[in-house]
């Protein structure tokens, strides 16, 4: 089981030393500024996301990459191209299987051939039905999914502000 990430929040300084016995990730003393809370929450989110890796076979190699670094997955029947960092990996797998693994981690199927990590979306053009990633890459979105994709994108943005 993964370790819990604990952030202590209290008004009383005398409890700080006692609290460190349980090894919290951070200790905030009231009154706390909103910026402090947001900073700690973003650090916790980053720490959690680094725990999750996607493991796959590409050629004769077994590779593990952090899920949050995957921009999108593109399908060509039984061949998938996983776009991660500056490298593209070819995987012999069905997109449906990879969707089942990655969708719980913020990915959304935007087209029959594309699975996109919502964290990497910069904007959505509803007129041309495409996503523009932070990397500048453009991904087509099916007209049937444009509302669902827009909703997921807005939820991801709202969640990143918490």
């Amino acid at each position: 089981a993964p370790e819990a990430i604990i952030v202590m929040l209290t008004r009383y300084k005398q409890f700080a030393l006692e609290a460190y016995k349980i090894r919290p990730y951070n200790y905030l003393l009231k009154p706390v500024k909103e910026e402090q809370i947001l900073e700690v929450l973003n650090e916790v989110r980053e720490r959690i996301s680094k725990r999750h890796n996607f493991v796959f076979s590409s050629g004769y190699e077994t590779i593990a990459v952090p899920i949050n670094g995957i921009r999108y997955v593109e399908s060509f029947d039984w061949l998938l191209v996983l776009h991660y960092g500056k490298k593209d990996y070819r995987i012999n797998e069905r997109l449906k299987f990879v969707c089942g693994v990655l969708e719980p981690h913020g990915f959304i199927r935007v087209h029959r051939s594309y699975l996109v990590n919502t964290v990497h979306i910069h904007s959505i053009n509803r007129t041309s039905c495409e996503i523009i990633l932070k990397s500048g890459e453009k991904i087509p979105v099916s007209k049937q999914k444009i509302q669902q994709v827009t909703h997921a994108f807005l939820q991801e943005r709202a969640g990143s502000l918490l």
Side-chain angles (χ1 to χ4, degrees), residues 30-62:
K30 293 180 183 179
V32 181
K33 293 180 182 173
E34 184 178 355
E35 296 84 37
Q36 288 176 289
I37 294 172
L38 292 174
E39 182 179 333
V40 170
L41 288 175
N42 283 331
E43 289 172 7
V44 168
R45 181 183 302 208
E46 182 67 25
R47 191 170 184 174
I48 289 170
S49 69
K50 287 181 180 177
R51 290 181 179 174
H52 301 287
N53 286 322
F54 179 60
V55 181
F56 58 92
S57 294
S58 181
Y60 296 104
E61 293 181 282
T62 299

Side-chain angles (χ1 to χ4, degrees), residues 86-161:
K86 294 181 180 181
K87 188 156 175 143
D88 296 338
Y89 295 97
R90 282 154 182 48
I91 307 169
N92 289 321
E93 190 58 74
R94 285 280 192 195
L95 187 58
K96 185 175 182 177
F97 171 77
V98 174
C99 283
V101 175
L102 295 178
E103 282 177 343
H105 298 281
F107 284 72
I108 185 165
R109 183 97 174 248
V110 301
H111 185 278
R112 65 183 174 93
S113 299
Y114 291 90
L115 178 68
V116 175
N117 188 342
T118 56
V119 170
H120 290 274
I121 297 174
H122 175 264
S123 61
I124 299 172
N125 185 326
R126 290 187 299 279
T127 305
S128 62
C129 287
E130 65 184 6
I131 292 171
I132 295 89
L133 299 181
K134 292 174 183 175
S135 64
E137 296 162 294
K138 294 180 180 181
I139 309 294
V141 179
S142 71
K143 289 180 182 179
Q144 297 85 358
K145 295 192 177 233
I146 195 75
Q147 285 300 111
Q148 178 188 1
V149 171
T150 302
H151 180 73
F153 170 64
L154 293 174
Q155 269 193 309
E156 156 35 47
R157 286 300 175 264
S160 68
L161 295 175

